[in-house]
Every structure is written in C-alpha cells, then in structure tokens.
Amino acid sequence: MSSVTLGSLIGFDLEEQFQNFDLTEVQQVLVELQSTEVIDLAHAENLQRLSLRGADILSEYIGRMIKTVSYLESQLNKIKNKAALDYKTPDGKTTMDLRKFAAEASPEVEEINIKLAKAKAGKAVLEKKFDILIKSHHYYKDMALGYKKTIVGHANINPSREKIAEGWE
C-alpha cells in the first residue's frame, strides 16, 4: 500500500474542484441505509460499518471544502481591498464610502463571491450528509447492543454500567 499523507487527503490545490467530488459511494450507502430493514445483529452491524464508510469519505471532502472556503474568503478580502485602494473618482475627491462601494461592485469581487457561495453551499450539503451518517451509525450501534442483549452468553455486555438503549428485545 502506498503512503497516505495528510496533504493527499486534503488535496494539494488551494481551490478544489468540489463540483467534481464523486459522491456515488456515499449516495449508495444512504440508499442502502434507507432500504435495508434490520432483522438481526448481522444487519445492524453491517449498516453500522456502511454508515462509517460513508462518513469517512465525506470527512475527506469536508476537509477539502474547509480549505477551499478559507482560501476563497482570503481571496475575496484581497480583491476587495485592492479594488478599494485602486478606486479614484474623476474629480479626485475619493471618500472611504466611495471606495467601499467600488470594491463591492467590482466584477472580480462578484466572481469570487459566487465561487464562495457555491463552496459554502457544497460544504453545508456535505456536513448534513455526514451528520446523517454519524447519527445512523449510532442508531444501528444501539440496535446491535439491543440484539446482543438477547443472545445467550452476552448477558453482561455492559460491565461499565453505561446506559444503553433498551426496548430492542
């Protein structure tokens, strides 16, 4: 197996092409979670594993999205500041308000703002899917513990007396 570095996980480009992230496997996991009815311990443990796999994929993409959003925010500030500093009125009476308005109306600022909005929207979608998968994992984990309580030989599955889900018997 080749070496896996943090750089390879979060990507080497400052601005990721996040529209091209492959979410096929994540969507397949979500469909599987939705369509599979848990009837025994093996099903519950398999769905636990699947939900963690989907969450793992999304965690890498979320890291890349955080990097992209941060980069775009810094670019936005840089371009706004440059546009404000470069703006001069024809009569030579440039005020701070005029510079601010000119910076906000700059086409470059608008372009970066659109990219930033798309990146933030993409990050929000990934985070929501991640939350669904983590909550699903915990749900199926609780189901598996409930099934284990009913199996002979697993009567003392919780020696620490940690509160576990009840009612699955």
Side-chain angles (χ1 to χ4, degrees), residues 102-169:
E104 290 175 359
S106 167
E108 295 89 11
V109 169
E110 182 180 7
E111 181 183 330
I112 295 289
N113 258 331
I114 291 169
K115 284 182 180 181
L116 181 58
K118 288 179 181 179
K120 285 182 175 181
K123 180 177 171 267
V125 167
L126 294 177
E127 287 173 338
K128 294 296 179 188
K129 288 184 181 291
F130 181 83
D131 287 344
I132 290 168
L133 290 167
I134 292 298
K135 287 176 182 176
S136 295
H137 168 74
H138 288 288
Y139 173 73
Y140 293 120
K141 181 179 177 181
D142 288 345
M143 286 186 88
L145 283 173
Y147 280 122
K148 285 180 181 178
K149 280 178 67 175
T150 63
I151 297 173
V152 176
H154 287 304
N156 192 15
I157 62 168
N158 191 14
S160 67
R161 301 290 181 237
E162 177 184 333
K163 182 161 176 45
I164 61 172
E166 295 180 9
W168 302 104
E169 305 73 49

Side-chain angles (χ1 to χ4, degrees), residues 51-71:
S51 57
L52 280 181
R53 173 66 184 138
D56 180 48
I57 293 168
L58 288 177
S59 68
E60 291 178 24
Y61 288 156
I62 290 169
R64 291 177 181 206
M65 291 303 295
I66 290 169
K67 177 187 63 173
T68 297
V69 166
S70 298
Y71 172 74

Side-chain angles (χ1 to χ4, degrees), residues 5 14 22-23 82 90 100 118-119 135 142 151:
T5 64
L14 290 174
D22 186 7
L23 298 177
K82 184 173 177 357
K100 179 183 171 190
K118 288 179 181 179
K135 287 176 182 176
D142 288 345
I151 297 173

Side-chain angles (χ1 to χ4, degrees), residues 2-115:
S2 65
S3 124
V4 178
T5 64
L6 183 58
S8 66
L9 291 177
I10 63 170
F12 296 103
D13 297 329
L14 290 174
E15 186 177 339
E16 292 290 332
Q17 297 301 315
F18 55 88
Q19 298 92 338
N20 298 329
F21 286 172
D22 186 7
L23 298 177
T24 306
E25 189 174 353
V26 174
Q27 285 303 116
Q28 288 171 345
V29 166
L30 289 169
V31 167
E32 181 76 18
L33 294 176
Q34 181 182 13
S35 63
T36 302
E37 189 173 327
V38 178
I39 59 172
D40 63 9
L41 178 59
H43 279 106
E45 288 178 340
N46 186 47
L47 293 177
Q48 256 185 285
R49 183 188 56 77
L50 277 176
S51 57
L52 280 181
R53 173 66 184 138
D56 180 48
I57 293 168
L58 288 177
S59 68
E60 291 178 24
Y61 288 156
I62 290 169
R64 291 177 181 206
M65 291 303 295
I66 290 169
K67 177 187 63 173
T68 297
V69 166
S70 298
Y71 172 74
L72 290 173
E73 286 174 341
S74 71
Q75 290 299 304
L76 179 65
N77 288 334
K78 178 178 127 182
I79 291 172
K80 268 187 180 179
N81 290 339
K82 184 173 177 357
L85 288 173
D86 292 347
Y87 180 74
K88 294 189 183 1
T89 58
D91 63 0
K93 297 180 181 177
T94 307
T95 65
M96 285 303 297
D97 285 338
L98 288 175
R99 287 179 186 257
K100 179 183 171 190
F101 297 144
E104 290 175 359
S106 167
E108 295 89 11
V109 169
E110 182 180 7
E111 181 183 330
I112 295 289
N113 258 331
I114 291 169
K115 284 182 180 181

